[in-house]
mmCIF file of all heavy atoms in Angstrom:
data_model
loop_
_atom_site.group_PDB
_atom_site.id
_atom_site.type_symbol
_atom_site.label_atom_id
_atom_site.label_comp_id
_atom_site.label_asym_id
_atom_site.label_seq_id
_atom_site.Cartn_x
_atom_site.Cartn_y
_atom_site.Cartn_z
ATOM 1 N N SER K 23 -14.030 -10.437 -34.431
ATOM 2 C CA SER K 23 -14.925 -9.358 -34.045
ATOM 3 C C SER K 23 -14.908 -8.339 -35.167
ATOM 4 O O SER K 23 -14.163 -8.479 -36.125
ATOM 5 C CB SER K 23 -14.467 -8.748 -32.717
ATOM 6 O OG SER K 23 -13.156 -8.234 -32.852
ATOM 7 N N PHE K 24 -15.737 -7.347 -35.061
ATOM 8 C CA PHE K 24 -15.839 -6.362 -36.124
ATOM 9 C C PHE K 24 -15.391 -5.002 -35.612
ATOM 10 O O PHE K 24 -15.675 -4.615 -34.475
ATOM 11 C CB PHE K 24 -17.285 -6.289 -36.628
ATOM 12 C CG PHE K 24 -17.712 -7.548 -37.346
ATOM 13 C CD1 PHE K 24 -18.271 -8.604 -36.664
ATOM 14 C CD2 PHE K 24 -17.510 -7.650 -38.715
ATOM 15 C CE1 PHE K 24 -18.643 -9.757 -37.321
ATOM 16 C CE2 PHE K 24 -17.880 -8.809 -39.379
ATOM 17 C CZ PHE K 24 -18.448 -9.871 -38.681
ATOM 18 N N SER K 25 -14.669 -4.277 -36.433
ATOM 19 C CA SER K 25 -14.207 -2.937 -36.067
ATOM 20 C C SER K 25 -15.329 -1.940 -36.301
ATOM 21 O O SER K 25 -16.404 -2.295 -36.793
ATOM 22 C CB SER K 25 -12.980 -2.553 -36.909
ATOM 23 O OG SER K 25 -13.378 -2.386 -38.259
ATOM 24 N N ALA K 26 -15.095 -0.698 -35.994
ATOM 25 C CA ALA K 26 -16.110 0.346 -36.171
ATOM 26 C C ALA K 26 -16.499 0.486 -37.641
ATOM 27 O O ALA K 26 -17.624 0.878 -37.956
ATOM 28 C CB ALA K 26 -15.597 1.669 -35.630
ATOM 29 N N SER K 27 -15.570 0.159 -38.523
ATOM 30 C CA SER K 27 -15.875 0.276 -39.946
ATOM 31 C C SER K 27 -16.619 -0.956 -40.476
ATOM 32 O O SER K 27 -16.973 -1.015 -41.649
ATOM 33 C CB SER K 27 -14.581 0.479 -40.745
ATOM 34 O OG SER K 27 -13.766 -0.668 -40.627
ATOM 35 N N GLY K 28 -16.824 -1.940 -39.615
ATOM 36 C CA GLY K 28 -17.562 -3.131 -40.011
ATOM 37 C C GLY K 28 -16.683 -4.220 -40.577
ATOM 38 O O GLY K 28 -17.177 -5.265 -40.973
ATOM 39 N N LYS K 29 -15.368 -4.026 -40.607
ATOM 40 C CA LYS K 29 -14.460 -5.048 -41.123
ATOM 41 C C LYS K 29 -14.147 -6.044 -40.019
ATOM 42 O O LYS K 29 -14.126 -5.704 -38.842
ATOM 43 C CB LYS K 29 -13.169 -4.406 -41.623
ATOM 44 C CG LYS K 29 -13.394 -3.512 -42.827
ATOM 45 C CD LYS K 29 -12.090 -2.959 -43.331
ATOM 46 C CE LYS K 29 -12.324 -2.073 -44.545
ATOM 47 N NZ LYS K 29 -11.086 -1.479 -45.005
ATOM 48 N N GLN K 30 -13.871 -7.249 -40.414
ATOM 49 C CA GLN K 30 -13.528 -8.292 -39.444
ATOM 50 C C GLN K 30 -12.138 -8.019 -38.871
ATOM 51 O O GLN K 30 -11.214 -7.649 -39.595
ATOM 52 C CB GLN K 30 -13.522 -9.660 -40.116
ATOM 53 C CG GLN K 30 -14.796 -10.405 -39.946
ATOM 54 C CD GLN K 30 -14.633 -11.851 -40.384
ATOM 55 O OE1 GLN K 30 -13.840 -12.144 -41.256
ATOM 56 N NE2 GLN K 30 -15.397 -12.732 -39.772
ATOM 57 N N VAL K 31 -12.008 -8.196 -37.526
ATOM 58 C CA VAL K 31 -10.720 -8.018 -36.852
ATOM 59 C C VAL K 31 -10.410 -9.340 -36.147
ATOM 60 O O VAL K 31 -11.240 -9.831 -35.387
ATOM 61 C CB VAL K 31 -10.802 -6.870 -35.814
ATOM 62 C CG1 VAL K 31 -9.495 -6.724 -35.071
ATOM 63 C CG2 VAL K 31 -11.198 -5.562 -36.486
ATOM 64 N N PRO K 32 -9.245 -9.908 -36.371
ATOM 65 C CA PRO K 32 -8.890 -11.156 -35.699
ATOM 66 C C PRO K 32 -8.892 -10.969 -34.182
ATOM 67 O O PRO K 32 -8.607 -9.897 -33.666
ATOM 68 C CB PRO K 32 -7.496 -11.479 -36.209
ATOM 69 C CG PRO K 32 -7.341 -10.679 -37.461
ATOM 70 C CD PRO K 32 -8.215 -9.473 -37.298
ATOM 71 N N ALA K 33 -9.222 -12.038 -33.480
ATOM 72 C CA ALA K 33 -9.307 -11.975 -32.011
ATOM 73 C C ALA K 33 -7.977 -11.585 -31.396
ATOM 74 O O ALA K 33 -7.944 -10.829 -30.421
ATOM 75 C CB ALA K 33 -9.771 -13.316 -31.471
ATOM 76 N N ALA K 34 -6.862 -12.039 -31.930
ATOM 77 C CA ALA K 34 -5.542 -11.710 -31.373
ATOM 78 C C ALA K 34 -5.297 -10.208 -31.447
ATOM 79 O O ALA K 34 -4.792 -9.605 -30.504
ATOM 80 C CB ALA K 34 -4.450 -12.465 -32.116
ATOM 81 N N LEU K 35 -5.663 -9.585 -32.549
ATOM 82 C CA LEU K 35 -5.484 -8.146 -32.706
ATOM 83 C C LEU K 35 -6.380 -7.398 -31.734
ATOM 84 O O LEU K 35 -5.963 -6.432 -31.093
ATOM 85 C CB LEU K 35 -5.778 -7.724 -34.147
ATOM 86 C CG LEU K 35 -5.585 -6.246 -34.480
ATOM 87 C CD1 LEU K 35 -4.147 -5.825 -34.193
ATOM 88 C CD2 LEU K 35 -5.940 -5.974 -35.929
ATOM 89 N N SER K 36 -7.600 -7.881 -31.583
ATOM 90 C CA SER K 36 -8.533 -7.267 -30.652
ATOM 91 C C SER K 36 -7.995 -7.364 -29.220
ATOM 92 O O SER K 36 -8.044 -6.411 -28.451
ATOM 93 C CB SER K 36 -9.896 -7.950 -30.755
ATOM 94 O OG SER K 36 -10.791 -7.398 -29.819
ATOM 95 N N MET K 37 -7.446 -8.534 -28.860
ATOM 96 C CA MET K 37 -6.876 -8.717 -27.525
ATOM 97 C C MET K 37 -5.668 -7.796 -27.327
ATOM 98 O O MET K 37 -5.470 -7.227 -26.247
ATOM 99 C CB MET K 37 -6.485 -10.180 -27.303
ATOM 100 C CG MET K 37 -7.678 -11.103 -27.139
ATOM 101 S SD MET K 37 -7.251 -12.861 -27.078
ATOM 102 C CE MET K 37 -6.018 -12.899 -25.800
ATOM 103 N N MET K 38 -4.853 -7.638 -28.368
ATOM 104 C CA MET K 38 -3.680 -6.779 -28.280
ATOM 105 C C MET K 38 -4.105 -5.324 -28.050
ATOM 106 O O MET K 38 -3.540 -4.625 -27.215
ATOM 107 C CB MET K 38 -2.837 -6.885 -29.556
ATOM 108 C CG MET K 38 -1.533 -6.122 -29.464
ATOM 109 S SD MET K 38 -0.491 -6.352 -30.898
ATOM 110 C CE MET K 38 -1.368 -5.340 -32.082
ATOM 111 N N VAL K 39 -5.112 -4.859 -28.741
ATOM 112 C CA VAL K 39 -5.620 -3.503 -28.568
ATOM 113 C C VAL K 39 -6.175 -3.328 -27.157
ATOM 114 O O VAL K 39 -5.908 -2.327 -26.483
ATOM 115 C CB VAL K 39 -6.683 -3.167 -29.634
ATOM 116 C CG1 VAL K 39 -7.403 -1.872 -29.304
ATOM 117 C CG2 VAL K 39 -6.048 -3.094 -31.017
ATOM 118 N N ASP K 40 -6.929 -4.321 -26.688
ATOM 119 C CA ASP K 40 -7.463 -4.262 -25.323
ATOM 120 C C ASP K 40 -6.335 -4.186 -24.300
ATOM 121 O O ASP K 40 -6.393 -3.417 -23.334
ATOM 122 C CB ASP K 40 -8.343 -5.474 -25.032
ATOM 123 C CG ASP K 40 -9.666 -5.431 -25.787
ATOM 124 O OD1 ASP K 40 -10.016 -4.348 -26.309
ATOM 125 O OD2 ASP K 40 -10.339 -6.480 -25.846
ATOM 126 N N SER K 41 -5.299 -4.996 -24.501
ATOM 127 C CA SER K 41 -4.159 -5.014 -23.586
ATOM 128 C C SER K 41 -3.445 -3.662 -23.580
ATOM 129 O O SER K 41 -3.094 -3.135 -22.528
ATOM 130 C CB SER K 41 -3.189 -6.117 -23.983
ATOM 131 O OG SER K 41 -2.046 -6.084 -23.159
ATOM 132 N N MET K 42 -3.231 -3.111 -24.770
ATOM 133 C CA MET K 42 -2.559 -1.813 -24.872
ATOM 134 C C MET K 42 -3.403 -0.710 -24.229
ATOM 135 O O MET K 42 -2.880 0.164 -23.539
ATOM 136 C CB MET K 42 -2.244 -1.489 -26.330
ATOM 137 C CG MET K 42 -1.182 -2.384 -26.921
ATOM 138 S SD MET K 42 -0.874 -2.050 -28.658
ATOM 139 C CE MET K 42 -0.010 -0.506 -28.547
ATOM 140 N N THR K 43 -4.703 -0.778 -24.428
ATOM 141 C CA THR K 43 -5.603 0.205 -23.822
ATOM 142 C C THR K 43 -5.530 0.108 -22.306
ATOM 143 O O THR K 43 -5.459 1.124 -21.611
ATOM 144 C CB THR K 43 -7.049 -0.025 -24.291
ATOM 145 O OG1 THR K 43 -7.088 0.064 -25.720
ATOM 146 C CG2 THR K 43 -8.003 0.973 -23.695
ATOM 147 N N SER K 44 -5.505 -1.111 -21.799
ATOM 148 C CA SER K 44 -5.399 -1.327 -20.360
ATOM 149 C C SER K 44 -4.078 -0.780 -19.820
ATOM 150 O O SER K 44 -4.043 -0.142 -18.771
ATOM 151 C CB SER K 44 -5.526 -2.816 -20.062
ATOM 152 O OG SER K 44 -5.325 -3.063 -18.700
ATOM 153 N N MET K 45 -2.988 -1.016 -20.549
ATOM 154 C CA MET K 45 -1.687 -0.512 -20.119
ATOM 155 C C MET K 45 -1.660 1.013 -20.104
ATOM 156 O O MET K 45 -1.117 1.624 -19.183
ATOM 157 C CB MET K 45 -0.569 -1.053 -21.029
ATOM 158 C CG MET K 45 -0.311 -2.527 -20.820
ATOM 159 S SD MET K 45 1.124 -3.226 -21.715
ATOM 160 C CE MET K 45 1.183 -2.348 -23.241
ATOM 161 N N VAL K 46 -2.245 1.628 -21.097
ATOM 162 C CA VAL K 46 -2.298 3.093 -21.154
ATOM 163 C C VAL K 46 -3.111 3.639 -19.978
ATOM 164 O O VAL K 46 -2.731 4.611 -19.341
ATOM 165 C CB VAL K 46 -2.868 3.577 -22.508
ATOM 166 C CG1 VAL K 46 -3.191 5.049 -22.469
ATOM 167 C CG2 VAL K 46 -1.900 3.261 -23.637
ATOM 168 N N GLU K 47 -4.217 2.994 -19.675
ATOM 169 C CA GLU K 47 -5.049 3.419 -18.541
ATOM 170 C C GLU K 47 -4.288 3.294 -17.227
ATOM 171 O O GLU K 47 -4.331 4.186 -16.388
ATOM 172 C CB GLU K 47 -6.349 2.612 -18.480
ATOM 173 C CG GLU K 47 -7.377 3.028 -19.505
ATOM 174 C CD GLU K 47 -7.832 4.464 -19.334
ATOM 175 O OE1 GLU K 47 -8.069 4.890 -18.188
ATOM 176 O OE2 GLU K 47 -7.938 5.168 -20.355
ATOM 177 N N ARG K 48 -3.579 2.150 -17.048
ATOM 178 C CA ARG K 48 -2.791 1.975 -15.820
ATOM 179 C C ARG K 48 -1.683 3.015 -15.734
ATOM 180 O O ARG K 48 -1.416 3.554 -14.662
ATOM 181 C CB ARG K 48 -2.206 0.566 -15.758
ATOM 182 C CG ARG K 48 -3.219 -0.446 -15.215
ATOM 183 C CD ARG K 48 -2.610 -1.806 -15.111
ATOM 184 N NE ARG K 48 -2.682 -2.369 -16.471
ATOM 185 C CZ ARG K 48 -2.011 -3.381 -16.923
ATOM 186 N NH1 ARG K 48 -1.172 -4.014 -16.151
ATOM 187 N NH2 ARG K 48 -2.152 -3.805 -18.162
ATOM 188 N N ALA K 49 -1.046 3.301 -16.862
ATOM 189 C CA ALA K 49 0.014 4.313 -16.872
ATOM 190 C C ALA K 49 -0.551 5.686 -16.516
ATOM 191 O O ALA K 49 0.075 6.448 -15.775
ATOM 192 C CB ALA K 49 0.691 4.356 -18.245
ATOM 193 N N LYS K 50 -1.739 5.975 -17.020
ATOM 194 C CA LYS K 50 -2.387 7.256 -16.711
ATOM 195 C C LYS K 50 -2.684 7.352 -15.216
ATOM 196 O O LYS K 50 -2.425 8.377 -14.588
ATOM 197 C CB LYS K 50 -3.680 7.384 -17.520
ATOM 198 C CG LYS K 50 -4.408 8.682 -17.323
ATOM 199 C CD LYS K 50 -5.663 8.731 -18.177
ATOM 200 C CE LYS K 50 -6.473 9.980 -17.880
ATOM 201 N NZ LYS K 50 -7.728 9.998 -18.617
ATOM 202 N N ILE K 51 -3.197 6.284 -14.625
ATOM 203 C CA ILE K 51 -3.504 6.257 -13.189
ATOM 204 C C ILE K 51 -2.209 6.398 -12.381
ATOM 205 O O ILE K 51 -2.145 7.173 -11.416
ATOM 206 C CB ILE K 51 -4.260 4.966 -12.816
ATOM 207 C CG1 ILE K 51 -5.675 5.014 -13.406
ATOM 208 C CG2 ILE K 51 -4.313 4.780 -11.305
ATOM 209 C CD1 ILE K 51 -6.423 3.700 -13.336
ATOM 210 N N ASP K 52 -1.162 5.670 -12.787
ATOM 211 C CA ASP K 52 0.126 5.769 -12.099
ATOM 212 C C ASP K 52 0.672 7.196 -12.161
ATOM 213 O O ASP K 52 1.208 7.711 -11.181
ATOM 214 C CB ASP K 52 1.148 4.794 -12.692
ATOM 215 C CG ASP K 52 0.828 3.335 -12.371
ATOM 216 O OD1 ASP K 52 -0.015 3.098 -11.476
ATOM 217 O OD2 ASP K 52 1.427 2.456 -13.017
ATOM 218 N N LEU K 53 0.545 7.819 -13.308
ATOM 219 C CA LEU K 53 1.017 9.194 -13.483
ATOM 220 C C LEU K 53 0.236 10.155 -12.598
ATOM 221 O O LEU K 53 0.803 11.044 -11.967
ATOM 222 C CB LEU K 53 0.904 9.610 -14.950
ATOM 223 C CG LEU K 53 1.438 10.986 -15.313
ATOM 224 C CD1 LEU K 53 2.922 11.077 -14.982
ATOM 225 C CD2 LEU K 53 1.212 11.277 -16.782
ATOM 226 N N GLU K 54 -1.078 9.962 -12.520
ATOM 227 C CA GLU K 54 -1.899 10.808 -11.654
ATOM 228 C C GLU K 54 -1.517 10.623 -10.190
ATOM 229 O O GLU K 54 -1.429 11.591 -9.436
ATOM 230 C CB GLU K 54 -3.385 10.505 -11.863
ATOM 231 C CG GLU K 54 -3.917 11.001 -13.196
ATOM 232 C CD GLU K 54 -5.335 10.527 -13.498
ATOM 233 O OE1 GLU K 54 -5.885 9.742 -12.703
ATOM 234 O OE2 GLU K 54 -5.871 10.939 -14.532
ATOM 235 N N ASN K 55 -1.264 9.367 -9.787
ATOM 236 C CA ASN K 55 -0.840 9.102 -8.406
ATOM 237 C C ASN K 55 0.510 9.749 -8.110
ATOM 238 O O ASN K 55 0.706 10.340 -7.052
ATOM 239 C CB ASN K 55 -0.780 7.600 -8.137
ATOM 240 C CG ASN K 55 -2.151 6.962 -8.080
ATOM 241 O OD1 ASN K 55 -3.147 7.635 -7.836
ATOM 242 N ND2 ASN K 55 -2.208 5.666 -8.304
ATOM 243 N N ALA K 56 1.443 9.624 -9.053
ATOM 244 C CA ALA K 56 2.760 10.242 -8.874
ATOM 245 C C ALA K 56 2.629 11.758 -8.793
ATOM 246 O O ALA K 56 3.305 12.404 -7.985
ATOM 247 C CB ALA K 56 3.690 9.845 -10.028
ATOM 248 N N ASP K 57 1.753 12.313 -9.612
ATOM 249 C CA ASP K 57 1.527 13.756 -9.583
ATOM 250 C C ASP K 57 0.960 14.191 -8.234
ATOM 251 O O ASP K 57 1.391 15.194 -7.665
ATOM 252 C CB ASP K 57 0.564 14.155 -10.720
ATOM 253 C CG ASP K 57 0.373 15.651 -10.798
ATOM 254 O OD1 ASP K 57 1.381 16.374 -10.922
ATOM 255 O OD2 ASP K 57 -0.793 16.106 -10.747
ATOM 256 N N GLN K 58 0.020 13.423 -7.701
ATOM 257 C CA GLN K 58 -0.555 13.740 -6.387
ATOM 258 C C GLN K 58 0.508 13.659 -5.298
ATOM 259 O O GLN K 58 0.566 14.519 -4.416
ATOM 260 C CB GLN K 58 -1.715 12.798 -6.065
ATOM 261 C CG GLN K 58 -2.960 13.063 -6.881
ATOM 262 C CD GLN K 58 -4.054 12.040 -6.619
ATOM 263 O OE1 GLN K 58 -3.844 11.053 -5.920
ATOM 264 N NE2 GLN K 58 -5.227 12.273 -7.193
ATOM 265 N N ARG K 59 1.358 12.615 -5.352
ATOM 266 C CA ARG K 59 2.428 12.495 -4.351
ATOM 267 C C ARG K 59 3.410 13.654 -4.475
ATOM 268 O O ARG K 59 3.853 14.210 -3.467
ATOM 269 C CB ARG K 59 3.145 11.152 -4.506
ATOM 270 C CG ARG K 59 2.347 9.974 -3.999
ATOM 271 C CD ARG K 59 3.195 8.709 -3.910
ATOM 272 N NE ARG K 59 3.833 8.325 -5.151
ATOM 273 C CZ ARG K 59 3.279 7.544 -6.085
ATOM 274 N NH1 ARG K 59 2.071 7.052 -5.890
ATOM 275 N NH2 ARG K 59 3.933 7.236 -7.184
ATOM 276 N N ALA K 60 3.743 14.029 -5.701
ATOM 277 C CA ALA K 60 4.676 15.136 -5.912
ATOM 278 C C ALA K 60 4.083 16.441 -5.387
ATOM 279 O O ALA K 60 4.779 17.246 -4.754
ATOM 280 C CB ALA K 60 5.020 15.268 -7.398
ATOM 281 N N ARG K 61 2.802 16.655 -5.630
ATOM 282 C CA ARG K 61 2.150 17.869 -5.116
ATOM 283 C C ARG K 61 2.144 17.886 -3.584
ATOM 284 O O ARG K 61 2.384 18.914 -2.961
ATOM 285 C CB ARG K 61 0.734 17.982 -5.647
ATOM 286 C CG ARG K 61 0.660 18.346 -7.114
ATOM 287 C CD ARG K 61 -0.789 18.393 -7.595
ATOM 288 N NE ARG K 61 -0.867 18.517 -9.025
ATOM 289 C CZ ARG K 61 -0.889 19.673 -9.677
ATOM 290 N NH1 ARG K 61 -0.834 20.797 -9.014
ATOM 291 N NH2 ARG K 61 -0.964 19.700 -10.994
ATOM 292 N N ALA K 62 1.879 16.734 -2.971
ATOM 293 C CA ALA K 62 1.886 16.649 -1.505
ATOM 294 C C ALA K 62 3.296 16.901 -0.967
ATOM 295 O O ALA K 62 3.465 17.632 0.023
ATOM 296 C CB ALA K 62 1.375 15.287 -1.055
ATOM 297 N N ASP K 63 4.294 16.311 -1.617
ATOM 298 C CA ASP K 63 5.682 16.541 -1.197
ATOM 299 C C ASP K 63 6.053 18.009 -1.327
ATOM 300 O O ASP K 63 6.697 18.584 -0.442
ATOM 301 C CB ASP K 63 6.648 15.690 -2.029
ATOM 302 C CG ASP K 63 6.552 14.206 -1.713
ATOM 303 O OD1 ASP K 63 5.936 13.854 -0.682
ATOM 304 O OD2 ASP K 63 7.086 13.400 -2.501
#
Side-chain angles (χ1 to χ4, degrees):
S23 60
F24 292 89
S25 68
S27 64
K29 294 183 180 177
Q30 264 192 330
V31 177
L35 182 59
S36 178
M37 288 173 53
M38 186 175 74
V39 169
D40 289 345
S41 176
M42 291 177 73
T43 302
S44 175
M45 289 187 325
V46 168
E47 284 298 317
R48 277 182 279 163
K50 182 179 174 184
I51 290 169
D52 290 346
L53 184 60
E54 288 172 356
N55 289 338
D57 184 56
Q58 288 175 353
R59 286 192 304 272
R61 288 178 190 271
D63 290 346

